[in-house]
Amino acid sequence: MTIESIKYDEKGLVPAIVQDASTKEVLTLAYMNEESLKKSIETGETWFFSRSRQELWHKGETSGNTQRIIQIKYDCDKDALVVLVLPNGPACHKGTTSCFEETLYEEKSAIDEVEGNVQPAEILTKLEELIKEREAARPEGAYTTYLFEKGVDKILKKVGEEASEVIIAAKNRDKEELKWETADLLYHVMVLLREQDLAFDEVLKVLAKRHEEKSKQE
């Protein structure tokens, strides 16, 4: 399969659905022509063709919100692309994670069912989003609000306390207690990361890099 095999429309464009490789959330729908697709592959970052300006544009060139390409797939008709990326910031020009924020229709019971079946790894992303919302809105009575209002010293104290609780639970060989205390520790660490304006994804990137380096050594 080559770039030339992609079927472009009469304007020389192919739709490209951009998806977060980690969360699988659809970030945006843009268009590529043959040149922007080549530049995307060559640079490892997304390049698109602007239909309004009639020119190529590098995502994040001015905002810094670049998208590192992990994989590009094409459909069975070879006339549409899915671009899996690791985003370095919001995908939408409005500052939101995804361009798809507005809801046209939903079935509430089905939504509740899906949300009730969140995959374990996905809850970290949802928790990070909730903590970010709490920091911005500061709802009265919320524990996360309390932590942000008390500041970094209080947050650090809680991280230390929860780390100690994890150690005690492990020392006592109490798996049930260890499970809950570890969850508390993860929550407080994520609050700390938010206070420090450090995305959890950056931590995951470090782990991924270490894993990659370790695999090469083996």
Side-chain angles (χ1 to χ4, degrees), residues 149-209:
E149 290 183 345
K150 288 295 182 180
V152 67
D153 288 342
K154 182 63 176 180
I155 297 172
L156 289 172
K157 182 180 178 181
K158 291 302 297 181
V159 170
E161 290 175 356
E162 297 302 339
S164 297
E165 294 295 334
V166 168
I167 293 171
I168 293 170
K171 189 68 175 178
N172 292 335
R173 298 291 182 179
D174 188 336
K175 290 184 179 180
E176 188 66 20
E177 189 69 15
L178 180 59
K179 176 176 67 177
W180 289 98
E181 295 301 343
T182 301
D184 287 343
L185 176 58
L186 283 173
Y187 160 76
H188 286 92
V189 167
M190 294 189 76
V191 171
L192 176 61
L193 291 176
R194 181 64 240 164
E195 195 278 337
Q196 298 284 307
D197 193 27
L198 178 63
F200 189 66
D201 186 56
E202 293 301 313
V203 178
L204 296 179
K205 288 178 181 178
V206 172
L207 292 174
K209 184 177 181 180

Side-chain angles (χ1 to χ4, degrees), residues 60 78 132 145 156 189:
K78 301 178 183 178
K132 183 178 180 180
T145 298
L156 289 172
V189 167

Side-chain angles (χ1 to χ4, degrees), residues 134 137-147 149 187:
R134 288 284 193 271
R138 303 291 176 95
E140 186 177 352
Y143 177 63
T144 308
T145 298
Y146 164 76
L147 290 175
E149 290 183 345
Y187 160 76

Side-chain angles (χ1 to χ4, degrees), residues 24 41 72 77 94 96 110 131 159 161 164 175-176 193:
K24 304 308 179 186
I41 293 173
I72 300 178
D77 293 323
K94 292 183 177 180
T96 55
I131 291 172
V159 170
E161 290 175 356
S164 297
K175 290 184 179 180
E176 188 66 20
L193 291 176

